[in-house]
Amino acid sequence: MGYICTPIKRRCVSFNIERLFIVYMSKGFPRLLLLYILVLFASCSSTKYVANGSYLLDEVKIHTDNKDVKPSTLQPYVRQNPNAKWFNAIKIQLYIYNLSGRDSTRWVNRFLRKIGNEPVIYNEALAQRSENEITKAVQNMGYMGATVKTGTKIKKKKLKLSYDVALGKPYTIRSIKREINDSKITACLPEDSLYSLLKEGMLFNVNVLDAERQRVTNRLLRNGYYKFNKDFITYIADTVKNTHWVDLTLQVLPYKAHISDTPKDHNQYTLNNVSFIIDYDIMRSSSLNSIYTNDSIHYNGIPIYYSNKPYLRPKILVNNLRLQQGDLYDERDVQRTYSNFGRLSALKYTNIRFIETQIGDSAKLDAYILLTKSKSQSVSFEIEGTNSAGDLGAAAAVSYHHRNLFHGSERLLLKFRGAYEAISGLTQDYKNDNYTEYGVEASINFPRFLFPFLSSDFRRGIRATTEFRMQYNYQIRPEFLRMVASASWSYHWIERQRAQHRIDLIDVNYLYMPSISDAFQELYEGNKNYILEYNYKDRLIVRMGYTYNYNSVGANLTNNTIASNSYSIRAGIESAGNALYAFSKLAGLPRNGKGEYSLLNIPFAQYIKADFDFAKNIVMDERNSLAYHLGMGIAIPYGNAGVIPFEKRYFSGGANSVRGWSVRNLGPGSFSGDENFLNQSGDIKLDASVELRSELFWKFQGALFVDAGNIWTLHNYSEEQPGGKFKFDRFYRQIAVAYGLGLRLDLDFFVIRLDGGMKAIDPVYSSGKQRYPIIRPKFGRDFALHFAVGYPF
């Protein structure tokens, strides 16, 4: 049984949820409306399962008397929080839980309790612990005299809890001294004082003091102090009587392995022998003595031990090594070595072990790089469903991977793909109404920088991978046959685990149209539409480009979840046809009937294109976040081309754009669209989105979003695109706006997303009610549903 409140007398009456569920399914009531009514009615019984003498923790607030300390910085120290709110507004899961009856044998009751949240009952002990933790936190910030007062307000069975923080006057550092009795360490640190986090006049913040300990430790670890850690750094803080001044002394303690040992100076270690063991079994070998090796070879004086046959060339191993005999131990070199070997697909694990040795008065380290081999070859199969503008189909692919092709950890990929799709909405009579596609792809990736005429030392200093790729795609449509062949040479590298760079040195694409049906040619090529005519002719695209990606939380972030504040930047620029155009111009080559230069009678494209995307995620609390995104791009044809190739044009609408419109169904400008999707493409794109994301239950997340954007053309390519050209005095009135709801299933390794968008402002109309469908929405006219994988940004 469950309970609802009658709207007149506000009294609770019982009802049978199972019967209501059956009626709902049979009658077909709108689900969103029913959910809203249930939540509204359930609000009267939020304390249904709160026992007498107990209180539902309804709200927790923190107040501070100093704007320099924001309540949000103290929220993590609260040890008991009220029931979570969806979108930081409604405690829906609590209401769902309270909809359940007391009979636990009924499946509906068990289901409601599973997806809901039981009420959080106020716990005085946890409140006292929160008070103590907040007090300690603000005292660590320098407010040593701070006090925290806990207050409660009770209304019936609900309790509102508050923490009032009185900070008082903070303690300030008056002077800073160092006490270092180790002459070698003293020599390492003075020049580093400019980068110290400690400044006279700063607050006596324990967190900053600890960060300075770690900073000093990191510097010493880069200068040979292999066994140093921050526990050897302490502080002495003397307060000046009757003031809030602190005289601070930083001490570096002498080395002691055990408490009973005699203190001594810290050893500064130098690397002695550096060796490779390339058949290391992490499951069987617990120590270096238990590792079995059968033979060894030497390369540049470095021994390489193995048990069978070496699977990596010695040069590859040594070139990725950043540890050299005679150098001071440097933690950065260790991490660079890990990073370099982590890029080698032939390796599964990399471990580096150091063994201390004493040669005379010098402390030495023998370094062993232990490598575990990865599986070199594999075959994978993929099956997927396709949906191109509503046309359903299927695709299958088989891939072959070789991760150590030339014994230098080169990655080979061979992929064969086939797809089939049933095409609907054809207006002409064709021989068939199916789309078939066959494709083959081959790529090889070298985990090093390759370029002719450069010295090996120069190439070794560049941490880039080199990729060569070739693709061939054969498309059979009712209207035409089309073949696309491409070949590319590119470089990739990662900088500090946060920034990724890609340089496409050369990317050649050849588009060949062996046949076009008479009906299609008459329909599209005879209407003087330059965009259509240009994109259904043989074309050569020779491009080069650069792409930059930055993520503030680094490569560990797989999905844009609400776990932490973060932002990302993506920028790219590419150009095509410049070298060919210059060559044709200098050589005085003839132009064709369209005024284009050709290479082997194939006209080539010429353009420049730039894109920029920015996305930011702001955490509101542990379950809610606000994310926003801004994207823009422009593609300019010139020289040998008057239009951008189809593959490089912009489209708007869809799951990752303005979600009130279907994919490729918005713009350009105020153009309303027609049967040809190519007419709804542009040279300029603007997208902006805001999402309020909230964890719902289990692995489900919800989103409220608002999108805005559109595309425009730079020229009037066709009379069939009225209102599509970008103009400064009216483009802002052609920005479409949509709003909607989203549901996401976060499976950690990927996200399944379902978004429903509604039109709010329709740029097709310049005025009147039709321009603002948000005022009088019509579901059949304004709604678009999108299914996608991954977050929109």
Side-chain angles (χ1 to χ4, degrees), residues 530 534 539 581 591 595-598 603-606 638-642:
Y530 187 41
Y534 185 89
R539 193 70 52 187
Y581 185 82
R591 298 175 184 259
E596 302 170 313
Y597 288 117
S598 301
F604 56 86
Q606 189 173 10
Y638 62 95
N640 206 53

Side-chain angles (χ1 to χ4, degrees), residues 391 420-426 428 430-436 476-479:
D391 295 332
Y420 173 85
E421 210 167 76
I423 302 176
S424 60
L426 293 173
Q428 302 292 317
Y430 296 104
K431 294 181 180 180
N432 64 77
D433 57 358
N434 303 322
Y435 168 71
T436 308
I476 307 173
R477 287 187 61 92
E479 308 95 330

Side-chain angles (χ1 to χ4, degrees), residues 666-671 679-682 710-713 721-725:
L666 172 61
S670 59
F671 177 52
N679 281 333
Q680 293 196 269
S681 62
N710 206 334
I711 55 173
W712 294 267
T713 61
Q721 287 182 315
K725 185 178 178 181

Side-chain angles (χ1 to χ4, degrees), residues 152-399:
T152 59
K153 290 183 180 180
I154 299 175
K155 184 178 181 181
K156 296 183 179 180
K157 286 188 175 183
K158 295 183 179 180
L159 182 145
K160 294 185 177 182
L161 182 62
S162 64
Y163 298 98
D164 295 308
V165 183
L167 294 165
K169 187 175 181 180
Y171 280 76
T172 304
I173 296 177
R174 185 176 71 170
S175 64
I176 301 172
K177 294 191 303 182
R178 290 187 176 185
E179 239 180 55
I180 306 174
N181 295 321
D182 190 318
S183 58
K184 289 185 178 180
I185 291 181
T186 301
C188 287
L189 296 180
E191 62 187 50
D192 193 45
S193 59
L194 291 175
Y195 302 98
S196 174
L197 302 177
L198 305 181
K199 309 293 181 183
E200 293 181 356
M202 64 173 283
L203 295 185
F204 183 67
N205 191 321
V206 173
N207 300 313
V208 177
L209 268 61
D210 192 61
E212 173 68 6
R213 293 170 66 206
Q214 187 61 58
R215 189 193 66 83
V216 172
T217 299
N218 290 341
R219 180 166 181 83
L220 294 176
L221 286 172
R222 297 168 185 169
N223 285 273
Y225 291 92
Y226 165 70
K227 302 187 74 173
F228 195 90
N229 61 70
K230 71 176 185 178
D231 291 335
F232 289 111
I233 301 175
T234 62
Y235 293 100
I236 297 176
D238 290 331
T239 56
V240 181
K241 188 176 182 180
N242 297 326
T243 70
H244 286 77
W245 292 107
V246 176
D247 292 328
L248 187 67
T249 303
L250 181 148
Q251 290 183 321
V252 176
L253 302 178
Y255 177 77
K256 287 199 302 183
H258 304 92
I259 297 178
S260 59
D261 290 352
T262 302
K264 62 178 183 178
D265 287 347
H266 292 267
N267 283 330
Q268 193 173 25
Y269 290 88
T270 303
L271 295 181
N272 187 33
N273 297 319
V274 180
S275 307
F276 284 97
I277 299 177
I278 64 173
D279 288 313
Y280 175 63
D281 189 338
I282 194 171
M283 303 302 295
R284 297 182 180 180
S285 305
S286 57
S287 65
L288 291 176
N289 293 330
S290 62
I291 299 175
Y292 171 76
T293 59
N294 187 43
D295 205 347
S296 67
I297 56 176
H298 286 71
Y299 185 84
N300 287 352
I302 298 177
I304 301 170
Y305 299 96
Y306 56 91
S307 56
N308 297 309
K309 183 180 178 181
Y311 54 88
L312 284 172
R313 299 197 305 274
K315 182 179 180 180
I316 298 298
L317 296 173
V318 174
N319 283 350
N320 284 283
L321 181 65
R322 292 298 178 265
L323 305 175
Q324 289 190 342
Q325 186 178 29
D327 287 353
L328 285 176
Y329 171 84
D330 190 334
E331 182 70 19
R332 292 173 299 182
D333 290 337
V334 177
Q335 296 304 320
R336 287 167 185 157
T337 300
Y338 271 118
S339 178
N340 287 352
F341 283 98
R343 294 186 299 123
L344 302 184
S345 59
L347 299 176
K348 189 174 184 180
Y349 302 114
T350 302
N351 287 276
I352 301 177
R353 292 188 186 179
F354 294 95
I355 296 180
E356 295 181 59
T357 60
Q358 194 76 25
I359 301 177
D361 295 331
S362 300
K364 302 284 186 179
L365 290 174
D366 287 336
Y368 293 89
I369 292 83
L370 312 176
L371 306 177
T372 303
K373 183 181 179 181
S374 178
K375 187 178 180 180
S376 60
Q377 301 181 63
S378 64
V379 177
S380 61
F381 298 90
E382 301 174 27
I383 298 177
E384 60 180 298
T386 61
N387 184 347
S388 301
D391 295 332
L392 301 180
V398 57
S399 303

Side-chain angles (χ1 to χ4, degrees), residues 692-729:
L692 179 60
R693 297 171 179 171
S694 182
E695 290 186 5
L696 303 181
F697 58 90
W698 192 50
K699 293 182 178 294
F700 285 98
Q701 297 180 6
L704 298 173
F705 61 81
V706 176
D707 300 327
N710 206 334
I711 55 173
W712 294 267
T713 61
L714 289 171
H715 308 287
N716 288 320
Y717 296 113
S718 169
E719 295 179 356
E720 297 183 7
Q721 287 182 315
K725 185 178 178 181
F726 180 88
K727 293 184 178 181
F728 276 103
D729 60 348

Side-chain angles (χ1 to χ4, degrees), residues 59-63 149-152 160-164:
E59 181 181 88
V60 176
K61 284 191 174 181
I62 301 174
H63 305 280
K149 182 180 179 181
T150 303
T152 59
K160 294 185 177 182
L161 182 62
S162 64
Y163 298 98
D164 295 308

